[in-house]
Amino acid sequence: MVIFQSETVFKNDFEKIIILLSGPVGVGKSSVALALENQFDFIRLKSSSFLMQKASSLGLEQTRSNLQNLGDELDIATDYFWVVSEVVVPVIKSTPQHKFWLFDSVRKERQVKHFKDEFGCKAVYHFHLTADESTLQSRFLSRDSSATTADYLATISHSNEKASRSLLSTADHVLDIGNKTLDEIISEIIKITTTKLKE
């Protein structure tokens, strides 16, 4: 597979920003992303649509396992660059006037590096969401009535989940959701992002 080499999109345009979200399963990344999209005009960038199209073209059933395996294969083939080159760059180039983007979510440190190399460190800010294990397990089980503790343990033992959790040590900012409401989490993200844009 040939690695797509994109042109610099806005490395010197500090009026624009890409927020990267990461965090363990059940922490609420999707809820945060949706709120930022609906309330603050962020364009949400997701790899799932690309993976579903890719799976379809390969004749694969679009199951969570197949999509996860396909993503893993692309990670290896492109040194984790595909999320930038195939998912993010085309959308940003198609809407050059827009200022705020959000990628939900990064899973590997190498992906974060590619974002910062491609768009510049001043344009990219990485938030890692976290919570204590009991909270995460409770949230995981509450979103699917058929889910079991065994399902949760299997999920958190997967290499991708472990890699995602490890981003806590390298993120630009770690948000412990604790007892915070969604509005409080969003408010903190916007406050930090606004400060960054003024630097």
Side-chain angles (χ1 to χ4, degrees):
M1 180 182 295
V2 177
I3 298 178
F4 176 89
Q5 296 293 341
S6 62
E7 300 172 2
T8 298
V9 178
F10 53 73
K11 228 172 203 180
N12 296 313
D13 186 352
F14 303 142
E15 292 294 314
K16 302 184 179 183
I17 194 164
I18 299 177
I19 286 178
L20 308 179
L21 289 182
S22 66
V25 64
V27 79
K29 298 184 295 294
S30 295
S31 296
V32 168
L34 188 60
L36 288 169
E37 181 180 31
N38 292 337
Q39 298 176 33
F40 293 95
D41 200 30
F42 277 83
I43 292 181
R44 188 178 180 187
L45 304 159
K46 299 176 65 177
S47 59
S48 56
S49 296
F50 174 81
L51 289 175
M52 286 189 285
Q53 292 176 358
K54 188 76 172 176
S56 179
S57 70
L58 295 173
L60 297 174
E61 187 179 354
Q62 295 178 6
T63 63
R64 178 183 177 86
S65 176
N66 282 344
L67 296 180
Q68 195 169 57
N69 290 337
L70 183 55
D72 290 344
E73 291 173 6
L74 288 168
D75 285 344
I76 294 170
T78 68
D79 185 30
Y80 302 97
F81 190 54
W82 67 274
V83 293
V84 174
S85 63
E86 304 298 332
V87 178
V88 176
V89 167
V91 177
I92 291 180
K93 281 190 171 184
S94 70
T95 52
Q97 75 285 358
H98 201 82
K99 292 187 176 184
F100 304 111
W101 286 271
L102 168 71
F103 186 76
D104 170 27
S105 62
V106 287
R107 297 179 291 111
K108 305 288 176 62
E109 187 174 353
R110 189 72 178 158
Q111 291 174 332
V112 177
K113 183 180 187 306
H114 283 314
F115 270 97
K116 293 189 174 184
D117 286 347
E118 182 69 19
F119 303 111
C121 289
K122 281 188 173 289
V124 177
Y125 203 79
H126 174 201
F127 288 92
H128 184 86
L129 309 181
T130 190
D132 64 79
E133 201 62 50
S134 61
T135 298
L136 295 172
Q137 181 172 336
S138 176
R139 291 167 69 105
F140 177 88
L141 296 175
S142 67
R143 68 186 191 183
D144 182 353
S145 60
S146 65
T148 65
T149 299
D151 293 329
Y152 178 72
L153 294 175
T155 297
I156 66 174
S157 68
H158 192 280
S159 59
N160 284 340
E161 177 66 9
K162 291 179 178 178
S164 181
R165 288 177 175 229
S166 74
L167 293 178
L168 179 147
S169 64
T170 58
D172 295 310
H173 192 88
V174 176
L175 276 173
D176 189 332
I177 65 167
N179 294 319
K180 292 185 177 74
T181 65
L182 179 59
D183 285 345
E184 288 171 337
I185 296 168
I186 297 302
S187 177
E188 190 167 349
I189 289 175
I190 291 301
K191 180 180 179 180
I192 293 169
T193 302
T194 301
T195 299
K196 181 175 176 60
L197 285 170
K198 292 178 179 177
E199 290 178 351

